[in-house]
Amino acid sequence: MVINDEYLNLTSQPPAWDISSPVLELGKRLLTCHGFHVTLFVVATDASTTQSLLQEPHPNLSVVNLPLVDISGLVDPTATIVTKIIVMMRETLPSLRSAILALKFPPTALIVDLFGTEAFAVAEELNMLKYVFDTSTAWFLAITIYVPTIDKSVEDEHVNQKQPLRIPGCKSVPFDDTLGAYLDRNDQTYVEYKRIGIEMPMADGILMNTWDDLEPATIGALRDFQMLGRVAKVPVYPIGPLARPAGSSLPRNHKAKAQGA
């Protein structure tokens, strides 16, 4: 699911939030290398956003627009961008389910990013394989799935005493590099991130926008059941690098800022 930035008011965020490029490149790879039919589910404020996603139309690439939902009564106006995205994804699940059921041919698999893991329930109901596409690094994936498994005392050492967080087979996380969501355990973002970390290993596989030679130790740890493999539980596939080709750029107000189901 691709969410347009205008609806979530992300226009002030830095370009790092633009994770639609890896998503679109993954779609192209599935089309050109494997011959799959790919459907993108889009939440957008106007039709031009949809058109911008299809600069090069392909007969096996479809875009389905999902209706906007009003989340103003569900989140605090000061909530983080991440929280807004997650709530948006959650509230759009009924529309996603209906859109999948309306497709001419039942899909084989559903690919979501870390914000869309709650869509696994839809995939299971409709007998679809389910995959997570981590558009970040293998190290970020390792942290995401490992944090929900640690004891509170270990978490306290890291958050309160500012000790490095040791991750099996990977480099430790210095306190200064800790994701802000993990520092306030009363914030909804913290609760959502821990839930995501628990749900990601429930997929049939995890796709990562990285490659073996870039992060050999971390990827090795994710595959080793003596280390993080026991947490990941499912196969991990480094399929990167996936990025927008040099010189290719969409207008700022038509960039999709967050991708999920």
Side-chain angles (χ1 to χ4, degrees):
M1 187 188 307
V2 181
I3 301 177
N4 177 242
D5 66 338
E6 294 176 5
Y7 186 68
L8 289 176
N9 297 317
L10 298 182
T11 52
S12 62
Q13 294 297 317
W17 273 103
D18 186 3
I19 59 175
S20 63
S21 298
V23 173
L24 296 177
E25 292 305 313
L26 173 59
K28 291 178 183 178
R29 181 173 296 186
L30 292 172
L31 285 170
T32 58
C33 298
H34 304 286
F36 295 142
H37 187 109
V38 176
T39 300
L40 295 175
F41 296 96
V42 182
V43 178
T45 52
D46 56 65
S48 60
T49 298
T50 301
Q51 293 302 317
S52 69
L53 295 175
L54 293 175
Q55 296 184 79
E56 300 178 6
H58 191 286
N60 288 336
L61 177 61
S62 304
V63 175
V64 174
N65 288 296
L66 300 179
L68 296 173
V69 293
D70 183 5
I71 63 171
S72 59
L74 301 175
V75 295
D76 189 284
T78 62
T80 65
I81 294 300
V82 169
T83 296
K84 291 179 180 179
I85 292 174
I86 291 171
V87 173
M88 165 63 73
M89 299 288 284
R90 182 177 299 138
E91 295 302 308
T92 308
L93 289 179
S95 297
L96 173 66
R97 179 182 180 277
S98 297
I100 292 175
L101 287 172
L103 295 176
K104 184 177 181 180
F105 300 104
T108 301
L110 182 70
I111 302 175
V112 305
D113 83 344
L114 78 165
F115 297 130
T117 52
E118 287 181 301
F120 286 168
V122 176
E124 291 171 354
E125 177 191 353
L126 303 180
N127 296 314
M128 301 165 63
L129 295 171
K130 50 191 186 297
Y131 292 87
V132 182
F133 178 33
D134 178 11
T135 58
S136 184
T137 64
W139 191 44
F140 178 77
L141 170 63
I143 297 167
T144 302
I145 64 174
Y146 183 66
V147 167
T149 71
I150 63 178
D151 294 333
K152 185 179 183 300
S153 60
V154 175
E155 190 173 0
D156 286 341
E157 287 180 2
H158 180 60
V159 175
N160 299 330
Q161 301 177 31
K162 301 184 178 182
Q163 298 297 312
L165 176 63
R166 294 176 176 80
I167 302 177
C170 307
K171 66 178 181 179
S172 299
V173 183
F175 175 79
D176 290 343
D177 291 342
T178 300
L179 190 66
Y182 293 129
L183 299 180
D184 184 358
R185 282 172 274 194
N186 295 316
D187 191 279
Q188 184 178 351
T189 305
Y190 171 83
V191 176
E192 299 287 4
Y193 260 119
K194 292 199 75 171
R195 173 189 57 77
I196 289 168
I198 293 170
E199 291 177 347
M200 290 182 78
M202 297 179 182
D204 292 296
I206 301 174
L207 314 177
M208 302 179 292
N209 190 18
T210 187
W211 60 101
D212 285 288
D213 289 343
L214 181 65
E215 301 181 88
T218 303
I219 293 173
L222 287 165
R223 289 171 169 165
D224 188 338
F225 277 80
Q226 300 300 314
M227 291 187 279
L228 282 177
R230 61 182 174 80
V231 178
K233 299 178 183 177
V234 297
V236 293
Y237 304 100
I239 61 171
L242 294 172
R244 180 187 298 119
S248 173
S249 180
L250 300 179
R252 179 70 180 178
N253 64 333
H254 293 321
K255 285 183 179 179
K257 290 296 180 184
Q259 171 271 343

